[in-house]
Amino acid sequence: MEKSSETNGYLDGAQAGRAQATYLAFPGEMLLRMLRMIILPLVVCSLVSGAASLDASSLGRLGGIAVAYFGLTTLGASALAVALAFIIKPGAGAQTLQSSDLGLEASGPPPVPKDTVDSFLDLTRNLFPSNLVVAVFRTYATDYREVIHNMSTGNVTREKIPIGTEIEGMNILGLVLFALVLGVALKKLGSEGEELIRFFNAFNEATMVLVSWIMWYVPVGITFLVGSKIVEMKDIIVLVTSLGKYIFTSILGHFIHGGIVLPLIYFVFTRKNPFKFLLGLLTPFATAFATCSSSATLPSMMKCIEENNGVDKRISRFILPIGATVNMDGAAIFQCVAAVFIAQLNNVELKAGQIFTILVTATASSVGAAGVPAGGVLTIAIILEAIGLPTHDLSLILAVDWIVDRTTTVVNVEGDALGAGILHYLNQKAMKKGEQELSEVKVEAIPNYKSEEETSPLVTHQNPAGPAASAPELESKESVL
């Protein structure tokens, strides 16, 4: 009897603890809700106005550089993660670890894995949403139905048939593509599209004013978000000692990529101090750390990178929404570490072909990874399916995802910011070069004009910038003509 009363008291205490953590997280939840509320108008309006403000050649050039930067940095991050995982071996000695040892019942079941082909088909389908209104709050995803066939021989075969479904969550990939194409189309219309471009520009500026108001609340929201997570911690010692090598490998990868590789790339292109650039972005980094969401960090990142670092609005509003959707360096690192970790857990020796598959799949899958907390766990399932590993150990990744996801998001948004800084520098350099070429043409115009005047008396040249011709010269020209 005493034992049952003790158990009931423990359960009541645990429930009270969870309730108190929920109440403590309320101010932080308000911050998240405000940031998510502003994402849709911010992404659509900034991309439309950004694409419409750039001419076709600049748009193509900057877009090409951005795609190359995003692709190569993500591939480099994946390679770094695989190398670290093979050196540190986070899965060695953890084979006996069970998810029940870590109290993972509350984490929920791991996501149902999708076939690699279906994952990439879903990515393509989401690029072209069938309904823009539905794309605001739902995303296309393939589910499976199992069909049992009774053969005439008495054998039973099970067939997994893909079914198209829609799940909760903004289809930001489709909205990004639509906004980009709409901006280019409005630019193409010329004077007819100017009214709508002005509307999107004004809408964008109004949205940035709202963001500046929300920024006042960010420190309060961040404090309560992090505080509630600390209160929710239970058996943190068991968690860290059991999965410590995995956590250490992931965070080390983030530190090397975010603290050395990305700043070095920025320095190579711009010859400027990258850490001075990053110092102006402390608020977005704190927001990324607290919210674990690249999309929720986008409003504060846009404001700080324009006001503190002087990045051209046309560049930041064109590249940052795209980067928040497709550039996931931090996610690629933790996904590759997780894949190698699970392989080592199951005593599977990865071959060269499987390692190459991990690199390519992680780089490609990060494009479609949702910019929300725990958005990359489903991507790990795709990688595991691609290399033929079991997905039941994903619950271990879920156990520490809330720790690793914080540094993951910081590296994701840092990559976007430094990419915007590099593009801004290259764009400024191209503009200065164009002005220099123009000034050289103007300087050369005067001697050319004089020589042509002497050798070709039958042609009258007008040069407002040059010295005025004397009256006798004009009379002589008139007599010749």
Side-chain angles (χ1 to χ4, degrees):
M1 193 72 180
E2 289 179 3
K3 190 174 181 180
S4 64
S5 63
E6 283 177 10
T7 307
N8 290 335
Y10 173 76
L11 290 172
D12 290 342
Q15 288 172 357
R18 279 198 290 271
Q20 287 165 359
T22 304
Y23 296 145
L24 185 63
F26 178 74
E29 185 190 344
M30 288 298 99
L31 173 64
L32 274 174
R33 292 176 79 89
M34 284 189 283
L35 289 172
R36 285 172 182 159
M37 171 190 70
I38 213 80
I39 287 170
L40 177 65
L42 187 67
V43 167
V44 173
C45 296
S46 63
L47 275 173
V48 170
S49 60
S53 65
L54 295 166
D55 59 90
S57 61
S58 295
L59 191 67
R61 183 173 55 84
L62 293 174
I65 295 169
V67 169
Y69 168 81
F70 291 154
L72 291 174
T73 53
T74 307
L75 188 62
S78 303
L80 171 68
V82 170
L84 282 174
F86 273 108
I87 293 166
I88 299 172
K89 293 184 170 55
Q95 283 82 358
T96 57
L97 192 61
Q98 297 295 322
S99 58
S100 58
D101 299 336
L102 304 172
L104 285 178
E105 287 76 13
S107 298
V112 178
K114 286 196 290 187
D115 290 345
T116 309
V117 175
D118 288 327
S119 301
F120 287 109
L121 289 177
D122 285 353
L123 182 66
T124 311
R125 290 185 185 108
N126 282 320
L127 274 171
F128 303 97
S130 58
N131 189 322
L132 278 175
V133 178
V134 173
V136 171
F137 51 88
R138 296 188 79 82
T139 305
Y140 186 94
T142 299
D143 201 359
Y144 297 98
R145 186 179 71 226
E146 200 173 66
V147 177
I148 299 173
H149 298 287
N150 290 317
M151 308 297 287
S152 56
T153 55
N155 295 328
V156 176
T157 58
R158 297 173 185 273
E159 186 182 3
K160 192 169 71 170
I161 299 174
I163 304 166
T165 58
E166 287 183 339
I167 57 172
E168 286 295 326
M170 188 189 299
N171 178 10
I172 194 134
L173 209 58
L175 293 172
V176 161
L177 184 65
F178 172 77
L180 270 176
V181 174
L182 180 62
V184 173
L186 288 174
K187 178 79 173 176
K188 193 81 175 170
L189 280 177
S191 58
E192 292 179 10
E194 283 178 5
E195 291 294 329
L196 202 50
I197 291 171
R198 276 200 289 270
F199 164 77
F200 278 111
N201 284 335
F203 203 152
N204 196 16
E205 293 301 329
T207 308
M208 293 306 290
V209 171
L210 292 178
V211 169
S212 68
W213 293 346
I214 294 171
M215 293 285 284
W216 286 100
Y217 183 69
V218 165
V220 178
I222 286 174
T223 304
F224 282 95
L225 272 176
V226 176
S228 64
K229 276 296 176 186
I230 292 170
V231 169
E232 283 177 14
M233 284 184 194
K234 55 181 181 180
D235 297 330
I236 187 68
I237 304 299
V238 176
L239 199 65
V240 171
T241 51
S242 304
L243 295 170
K245 284 176 78 176
Y246 165 70
I247 298 169
F248 171 74
T249 308
S250 297
I251 293 177
L252 179 64
H254 291 148
F255 177 78
I256 293 172
H257 191 72
I260 299 171
V261 177
L262 288 177
L264 196 60
I265 293 171
Y266 178 84
F267 175 75
V268 166
F269 276 96
T270 65
R271 300 295 175 184
K272 293 180 181 177
N273 186 353
F275 298 104
K276 187 180 177 183
F277 183 88
L278 295 174
L279 199 63
L281 305 173
L282 290 180
T283 303
F285 292 153
T287 308
F289 187 84
T291 61
C292 299
S293 171
S294 302
S295 301
T297 310
L298 184 59
S300 61
M301 176 60 79
M302 237 177 227
K303 182 175 171 56
C304 289
I305 204 168
E306 290 170 9
E307 294 184 0
N308 298 346
N309 292 340
V311 172
D312 191 338
K313 288 181 180 180
R314 294 175 301 170
I315 302 294
S316 64
R317 296 178 187 186
F318 166 67
I319 207 66
L320 287 178
I322 299 174
T325 311
V326 303
N327 185 36
M328 300 283 178
D329 293 0
I333 288 171
F334 109 88
Q335 288 159 11
C336 290
V337 170
V340 178
F341 167 72
I342 290 173
Q344 291 169 353
L345 271 184
N346 292 278
N347 292 315
V348 174
E349 193 73 32
L350 291 173
K351 298 179 178 62
Q354 289 174 308
I355 294 168
F356 179 76
T357 305
I358 290 173
L359 293 176
V360 173
T361 311
T363 304
S365 300
S366 65
V367 172
V372 297
V377 176
L378 182 60
T379 314
I380 300 173
I382 297 169
I383 297 170
L384 295 178
E385 283 286 316
I387 59 175
L389 285 174
T391 55
H392 58 77
D393 289 322
L394 272 177
S395 54
L396 297 174
I397 305 301
L398 280 168
V400 292
D401 185 65
W402 65 272
I403 300 174
V404 178
D405 207 13
R406 299 183 185 280
T407 52
T408 296
T409 312
V410 171
V411 174
N412 286 345
V413 300
E414 183 194 351
D416 301 342
L418 290 175
I422 290 169
L423 282 177
H424 171 72
Y425 174 79
L426 294 176
N427 190 51
Q428 293 287 100
K429 192 176 176 183
M431 286 170 65
K432 284 178 184 175
K433 188 179 178 184
E435 287 172 6
Q436 188 179 359
E437 286 175 358
L438 195 61
S439 64
E440 284 174 3
V441 168
K442 285 179 180 176
V443 168
E444 289 172 1
I446 296 168
N448 286 345
Y449 152 69
K450 286 181 177 177
S451 63
E452 283 178 8
E453 187 180 52
E454 291 169 1
T455 55
S456 179
L458 295 177
V459 181
T460 304
H461 296 274
Q462 292 181 355
N463 186 11
S470 60
E473 285 177 342
L474 287 173
E475 286 175 4
S476 65
K477 283 179 189 173
E478 284 173 6
S479 64
V480 170
L481 289 170

